[in-house]
Amino acid sequence: MNFIDLQAQRQRIAPEIDAAIARVLSTCGFIMGPEVSNFEKALAAFAGAKHALACANGTDALLLPLRAWGVAPGDAVFVPSFTFVATAEVAPLVGASPVFVDVLPDTYNMDPASLEAAIQEVKRQGKLTPKVVIAVDLFGQPADYPAISFIAKKHGLKLIADQAQGFGCTLNGRQPLEWVDAATASFFPAKPLGCYGDGGAVLTNDDQLAGLVDSIRIHGKASAEDMAAKKYDNDPRYLNMRIGVNSRLDAIQAAILSEKLKIYLDELQKRDAIAARYSKALAPHVRSVPKVIEGGFSNWAQYTIEHDNRDALAAHLKSKGVPTAIYYPIPIHMQEVYSVYPTAPGGLPVTEAIRSRVLSLPMHPYLAEAEQDRVIEAIRGFNV
Ligand SMILES: Cc1ncc(COP(=O)(O)O)c(C=O)c1O
């Protein structure tokens, strides 16, 4: 049994994927071009976004808006600690300070009360200037965007939805993008919408941000707005208006993603059915099965239970041939290199408690009922 089975998906759409790759090879159009712009259009349509800008990975997708907004040394970026390191890493990458916020004990997503307290404390101390909040759709379910966006707006902060894991999730039938300035995606192969290498995207309804991200992702090239403002004869790629980076999605990856996006909704339904089946069978046998926010639809990037004897359960499951994973054993604020940055007042008690109880089980759209049953039986067997 695989924790995530990329082969199963590949078998379903192998001819389409192979044809997509062959299409790129036949034109040798490896960088940007129609494959990338067609994928961006399809992605934007899927997410109800005005703009989708593909980039090299989900980390850059977070970094690009920070660069576009001029986030710099002395600024505070509020992030959960119970997430993949990239969510916080982008703050020091622009010289800013992450400020770690606790999560809610049931959804593992950013706790709005902890966020509010952290912002007030940073303002009271006066050493850092609050600038940005990055909320994460951890394990695939939407954060509490109505509450978080209310707080961000009240304090005049930009808000990013880090949807590296959660791309495709909704809240009350609405995309997270409806509440935020930018939403980001990662197409790392193990992500629900993964490519065959690294990839990412920034989604936004803000024309100005889209223009800046487009420029910064390609070495600060002149944007359409820059070109309109002045009269240039040069190729805009060789007019560098700001300090940028090289962060493009390869055309081959865009072609692959275009095919995968066509079956994504169907895959999300399959994941949801598996999660429902797991939860029904496992609820009596573990401390907790996942709880999705009211009105939320999760893409089930991870299916994560809590158990008081987590490590022994993981060892037992391994002995039964059931792979598991721990996300995340060391929260970011407890990593030595990040321990210098501030945390919300009162610390992060929820984050520190759940890290020793969480265990993620095999989850992918093609997990057969017989395999699900093996996981369920192995967990039941641990408790007897
Ligand atoms: C929550 C979160 N943010 C950001 C990232 C970074 O994405 P990438 O690995 O594509 O840079 C990841 C994925 O690994 C993630 O899980």
Side-chain angles (χ1 to χ4, degrees):
M1 185 186 320
N2 293 306
F3 187 70
I4 292 172
D5 191 347
L6 297 178
Q7 277 297 347
Q9 184 199 51
R10 163 130 186 86
Q11 274 159 25
R12 174 174 171 185
I13 50 168
E16 290 86 347
I17 298 266
D18 292 353
I21 295 172
R23 206 165 58 225
V24 180
L25 296 185
S26 71
T27 62
C28 288
F30 298 119
I31 300 290
M32 301 308 281
E35 290 293 348
V36 174
S37 54
N38 288 341
F39 170 62
E40 288 177 333
K41 278 186 206 119
L43 193 73
F46 184 95
K50 197 164 173 196
H51 307 277
L53 297 123
C55 63
N57 52 66
T59 308
D60 281 358
L62 295 167
L63 184 66
L64 291 166
L66 297 190
R67 293 284 295 269
W69 293 324
V71 180
D75 292 339
V77 179
F78 299 84
V79 294
S81 172
F82 196 63
T83 172
F84 183 66
V85 67
T87 310
E89 185 180 36
V90 291
L93 280 178
V94 294
S97 170
V99 177
F100 293 107
V101 171
D102 211 357
V103 293
L104 295 163
D106 48 1
T107 63
Y108 309 144
N109 276 333
M110 184 179 264
D111 178 352
S114 177
L115 173 65
E116 174 71 46
I119 296 170
Q120 286 188 10
E121 180 60 15
V122 166
K123 282 187 163 173
R124 193 189 65 74
Q125 288 187 2
K127 291 190 208 131
L128 296 169
T129 309
K131 278 285 170 67
V132 179
V133 178
I134 305 180
V136 177
D137 296 335
L138 199 77
F139 302 158
Q141 72 152 306
D144 186 351
Y145 288 109
I148 294 168
S149 66
F150 177 83
I151 294 167
K153 280 201 184 87
K154 186 174 80 176
H155 292 283
L157 310 183
K158 297 284 188 195
L159 176 57
I160 298 177
D162 178 349
Q163 296 203 265
Q165 298 181 15
F167 183 74
C169 76
T170 55
L171 182 58
N172 300 322
R174 297 165 65 183
Q175 296 283 336
L177 182 60
E178 293 194 33
W179 286 277
V180 304
D181 298 288
T184 65
S186 163
F187 307 125
F188 182 79
K191 296 288 191 269
L193 183 63
C195 60
Y196 287 3
D198 277 308
V202 180
L203 298 128
T204 183
N205 293 327
D206 177 337
D207 296 341
Q208 197 193 4
L209 177 64
L212 287 170
V213 167
D214 183 35
S215 166
I216 295 167
R217 72 175 163 167
I218 306 179
H219 303 290
K221 66 166 186 170
S223 66
E225 209 169 78
D226 296 323
M227 295 300 281
K230 288 186 184 154
K231 179 95 190 74
Y232 288 119
D233 297 328
N234 310 51
D235 180 333
R237 281 177 301 178
Y238 305 112
L239 274 174
N240 307 99
M241 306 297 291
R242 49 195 66 82
I243 307 294
V245 295
N246 177 0
S247 186
R248 297 175 291 232
L249 178 72
D250 289 343
I252 284 182
Q253 301 300 348
I256 291 167
L257 283 163
S258 291
E259 294 307 321
K260 287 196 168 199
L261 192 59
K262 291 179 191 161
I263 59 165
Y264 192 49
L265 268 182
D266 176 63
E267 291 188 332
L268 293 185
Q269 299 297 341
K270 286 185 163 58
R271 287 173 176 273
D272 200 44
I274 295 166
R277 201 160 173 274
Y278 263 161
S279 289
K280 195 164 171 233
L282 293 176
H285 303 280
V286 296
R287 181 186 173 110
S288 69
V289 292
K291 176 157 184 301
V292 176
I293 187 173
E294 205 184 320
F297 177 79
S298 177
N299 72 8
W300 299 106
Q302 301 296 338
Y303 181 92
T304 303
I305 57 165
E306 280 184 43
H307 200 284
D308 290 325
N309 205 358
R310 190 265 315 273
D311 292 341
L313 173 62
H316 167 79
L317 293 178
K318 193 173 175 200
S319 76
K320 300 283 175 197
V322 174
T324 60
I326 297 169
Y327 303 117
Y328 292 90
I330 309 177
I332 308 173
H333 74 287
M334 295 172 80
Q335 307 270 1
E336 199 179 336
V337 71
Y338 285 92
S339 61
V340 294
Y341 297 112
T343 55
L348 311 184
V350 176
T351 298
E352 290 180 18
I354 57 181
R355 77 185 185 104
S356 52
R357 297 200 295 258
V358 285
L359 189 66
S360 299
L361 305 181
M363 167 56 82
H364 61 84
Y366 307 99
L367 193 71
E369 286 201 355
E371 290 176 305
Q372 299 164 33
D373 290 342
R374 265 182 63 200
V375 177
I376 292 163
E377 282 315 312
I379 291 176
R380 283 184 175 151
F382 180 68
N383 284 298
V384 289

